[in-house]
Amino acid sequence: MTTFPSRLAAPAPGWTTYADVIVIGSGVAGLTAALRARAAGSVLVVTKAVLDEGSTRWAQGGVAAALGEGDTPEQHMHDTLVAGAGLCDEDAVRVLVTEGPGAVRRLMSVGAEFDRDADGNILLTREGGHLRNRIVHAGGDATGAEISRALVQAVHEAGIEVIEHALVLDLLRDAEGRACGVTLHVMGEGARDGVGAVRGRAVVLAAGGMGQVFSSTTNPHVSTGDGVALALRAGAEVTDLEFVQFHPTVLWLGPGAEGQQPLVSEAVRGEGAHLVDADGVRFMTGRHPLAELAPRDIVAKGITRRMAETGTDHMYLDGRHFGAEMWAHRFPTILAACRANGIDPAHDLIPIAPAAHYASGGVRTDLAGRTSVPGLYACGEVACTGVQGANRLASNSLLEGLVFAERIAEDLARGLPEPGEPVAPEGDAWLLDPGIRTPLQRAMTAGAGVLRSRDSLRETMQVLAELGGRTGDDPCVESWEATNLHTVAGALAAAAYDREETRGCHWREDFPDADDKDWRGHVVTTMADGRLDRAYRPYDPKHDREHDPDAAPSDAPHPDAPQSPAEHPTEEKP
């Protein structure tokens, strides 16, 4: 059995600082949490690169919210539940769609400027899975960049303390198991360089996704699953890791291309572009009533099937009928990416293929963003709030980051208990050789990518076990990232192996149908003594809960809080 470090090997902290609330990550979720959490006390943001280099800036399509005439939260909820393939938490979805419009308006009040028509009305477009136009966008296809710009500016103007170029290593906990800070490594020179510690009364994990666990992804280089790996080592519950969404239309750069690939937004199909094969045949017509605008898992599977049928490694997106002017005005970012690779979408078909895009699963939270570790919160892609289910509805991710970051801040403002002194961490610490990164990514793509089976996943886990034996002696960013990737890959592959059905973006060739009788539930993963423990929890659309955050003080168990496996009996799966 593969084992994983209980903590990352690192030098003892050479410096210490303090903030009441420590926010890890600088995407839409992290920065929104930081801005709102000032009501709870001092705030410090820790980010792996610089403030605007997270995944948010790469988001093209927009933010989904029921803002248009005739649209309602109920309709948005319906579309989200359909896309989630039977595993959405209905309470969480209801929170998202009802609080979402207000959250978008508050984002605009911070300074985000969305595209409007000549009369000043917000322009709305449509993406896959949505039955109405409800996607607000900025700069045509540069929504994430605009949101990031506005939030970064607001953080600077608020005077919030920021530590950039800092990789968070492990969670600090007191004798009662409560989060009381983090250790981190700052890549730079000055008073805070090398390994240090930030002490605090609450930690908000908004560290983004884990797309770099695959060889081809839309995620930036920094998305190495650091947040999920940290949470597992801290004993937090992680769930639904097997549901990784592969974006259907990523610019295909050739058979040897690896790493971050340019995204071709779903909004391109929302505006009327068609998916075709090399012969110009629209292969999604007849496969789903919405054709190219079906939910992303359906489109990704349709593309993959057509590639298998035709013996090719990519398909095409046809937007030639848009004309040069529309491409330049509506999709300038995508136009620039295509032209940089010798493609003119006004005259050429755009070669595309699916690539890892978004983790629907993550650190399990309640409706206030609390994890199963007291004092540790999570929001954004690193979290699993229950909104996404088995497959994220397009453009719900930015909205989820906004809504649940605000909810975390509201909970923090109710009062922060004073944690005890951090205790020495238990368990073994080691690091893996940075050289495992590429073979790990290739193994995950081959065996745990769009298409999966018992044999492919078993082979993947065997490779991961072998790579786990390649330890390294040098504590450095590359070793820490490789070790985090290995931990996350192990948990993801094991959960995918357990789930013997096809549901949402989890596609098992050997179990091609959904199995509501045995598998309409969640694979919940924890780690103890370096070993992954997995338990199956049957689906409950409401988790038998009524959300009343005022009913309990912030230092008491929250009625929505995930329970530990010992307190929450589970039905075990092999």
Side-chain angles (χ1 to χ4, degrees):
M1 178 183 292
T2 304
T3 58
F4 306 90
S6 297
R7 53 193 173 89
L8 295 178
W15 53 271
T16 301
T17 190
Y18 179 88
D20 292 318
V21 180
I22 306 161
V23 178
I24 312 302
S26 61
V28 62
L31 295 186
T32 299
L35 287 166
R36 302 290 179 184
R38 288 175 294 164
S42 60
V43 178
L44 185 148
V45 174
V46 177
T47 186
K48 194 173 179 181
V50 296
L51 274 182
D52 66 347
E53 285 194 7
S55 293
T56 292
R57 65 173 292 198
W58 299 101
Q60 294 175 349
V63 186
L67 294 167
E69 183 178 354
D71 198 4
T72 65
E74 289 74 21
Q75 294 176 63
H76 188 184
M77 182 169 182
H78 168 271
D79 293 349
T80 300
L81 294 176
V82 169
L87 284 189
C88 295
D89 180 332
E90 292 183 9
D91 283 344
V93 176
R94 186 170 289 106
V95 163
L96 180 84
V97 300
T98 56
E99 298 181 12
V104 173
R105 294 186 182 100
R106 286 186 289 275
L107 179 61
M108 290 189 283
S109 72
V110 171
E113 298 181 359
F114 294 109
D115 294 339
R116 298 175 181 268
D117 62 21
D119 297 324
N121 301 310
I122 294 177
L123 290 171
L124 300 172
T125 191
R126 186 177 167 205
E127 294 185 356
H130 293 272
L131 297 181
R132 282 190 175 272
N133 289 8
R134 64 168 63 98
I135 315 300
V136 299
H137 49 84
D141 60 355
T143 308
E146 171 57 18
I147 291 173
S148 182
R149 179 206 63 77
L151 290 174
V152 167
Q153 180 176 326
V155 164
H156 285 316
E157 291 176 351
I160 294 173
E161 187 177 6
V162 178
I163 300 179
E164 296 182 315
H165 302 292
L167 172 62
V168 172
L169 302 177
D170 279 306
L171 189 71
L172 295 173
R173 289 178 290 169
D174 65 15
E176 301 300 319
R178 184 176 186 85
C180 60
V182 294
T183 55
L184 69 166
H185 178 266
V186 179
M187 298 163 271
E189 297 181 357
R192 295 176 182 169
D193 61 358
V195 175
V198 182
R199 297 280 304 280
R201 295 199 282 174
V203 176
V204 179
L205 196 59
M210 53 188 180
Q212 289 291 329
V213 78
F214 296 96
S215 58
S216 180
T217 178
T218 63
N219 290 192
H221 188 76
V222 296
S223 297
T224 50
D226 307 318
V228 170
L230 175 149
L232 281 169
R233 290 192 295 269
E237 292 185 350
V238 171
T239 190
D240 294 350
L241 287 186
E242 65 271 33
F243 296 114
V244 177
Q245 187 175 82
F246 285 76
H247 198 288
T249 54
V250 175
L251 190 62
W252 184 79
L253 300 180
E258 294 184 332
Q260 185 180 11
Q261 311 289 309
L263 176 67
V264 181
S265 170
E266 192 149 3
V268 176
R269 282 175 281 135
E271 296 288 354
H274 302 141
L275 286 165
V276 299
D277 60 20
D279 295 325
V281 176
R282 287 183 62 188
F283 55 87
M284 285 303 299
T285 302
R287 291 180 185 253
H288 190 277
L290 295 177
E292 286 91 354
L293 286 176
R296 287 178 176 174
D297 63 307
I298 303 295
V299 180
K301 291 172 186 176
I303 292 171
T304 303
R305 285 194 180 105
R306 191 60 173 172
M307 289 192 300
E309 292 167 0
T310 58
T312 58
D313 48 13
H314 64 284
M315 289 286 111
Y316 296 93
L317 192 62
D318 187 358
R320 293 175 294 182
H321 53 287
F322 288 175
E325 183 176 349
M326 180 176 173
W327 275 107
H329 175 72
R330 179 68 179 86
F331 301 111
T333 305
I334 299 170
L335 177 62
C338 288
R339 285 179 171 172
N341 289 281
I343 302 161
D344 181 355
H347 300 94
D348 304 325
L349 296 175
I350 304 173
I352 54 89
H357 183 57
Y358 187 86
S360 292
V363 185
R364 186 170 181 260
T365 74
D366 63 11
L367 297 184
R370 301 181 186 196
T371 74
S372 56
V373 174
L376 177 65
Y377 294 76
C379 56
E381 190 173 355
V382 74
C384 184
T385 64
V387 161
Q388 314 298 356
N391 182 48
R392 175 178 68 102
L393 180 65
S395 288
N396 266 357
S397 51
L398 293 175
L399 189 70
E400 182 193 32
L402 285 170
V403 168
F404 286 91
E406 290 187 343
R407 286 191 146 237
I408 288 173
E410 291 170 3
D411 196 68
L412 293 172
R414 295 186 180 96
L416 293 172
E418 190 68 45
E421 292 293 312
V423 297
E426 298 180 354
D428 296 329
W430 70 82
L431 294 174
L432 297 182
D433 187 323
I436 73 163
R437 181 167 179 153
T438 296
L440 179 150
Q441 292 169 325
R442 291 175 178 171
M444 289 295 290
T445 295
V450 178
L451 294 176
R452 302 165 177 176
S453 68
R454 179 185 288 116
D455 290 343
S456 76
L457 290 163
R458 185 183 290 119
E459 291 173 7
T460 297
M461 290 189 287
Q462 180 60 41
V463 172
L464 293 176
E466 294 169 358
L467 294 176
R470 291 173 52 180
T471 57
D473 300 323
D474 181 23
C476 62
V477 172
E478 292 78 14
S479 293
W480 289 318
E481 287 185 334
T483 307
N484 284 338
L485 282 170
H486 185 258
T487 298
V488 172
L492 192 164
Y497 184 87
D498 284 355
R499 183 172 289 278
E500 295 181 334
E501 67 161 354
T502 290
R503 183 183 298 274
C505 51
H506 171 68
W507 187 5
R508 285 285 295 261
E509 292 181 284
D510 47 345
F511 294 95
D513 301 315
D515 181 357
D516 283 350
K517 178 178 180 293
D518 291 328
W519 282 108
R520 194 182 182 195
H522 304 277
V523 177
V524 180
T525 303
T526 54
M527 191 165 76
D529 299 323
R531 298 185 183 277
L532 296 175
D533 295 318
R534 304 185 305 282
Y536 174 77
R537 293 185 183 169
Y539 173 76
D540 181 340
K542 295 180 177 295
H543 291 182
D544 294 325
R545 65 192 185 186
E546 292 296 330
H547 183 59
D548 181 9
D550 295 320
S554 62
D555 59 344
H558 193 280
D560 292 332
Q563 302 298 306
S564 69
E567 297 169 326
H568 189 155
T570 61
E571 176 185 344
E572 297 293 335
K573 282 283 180 179

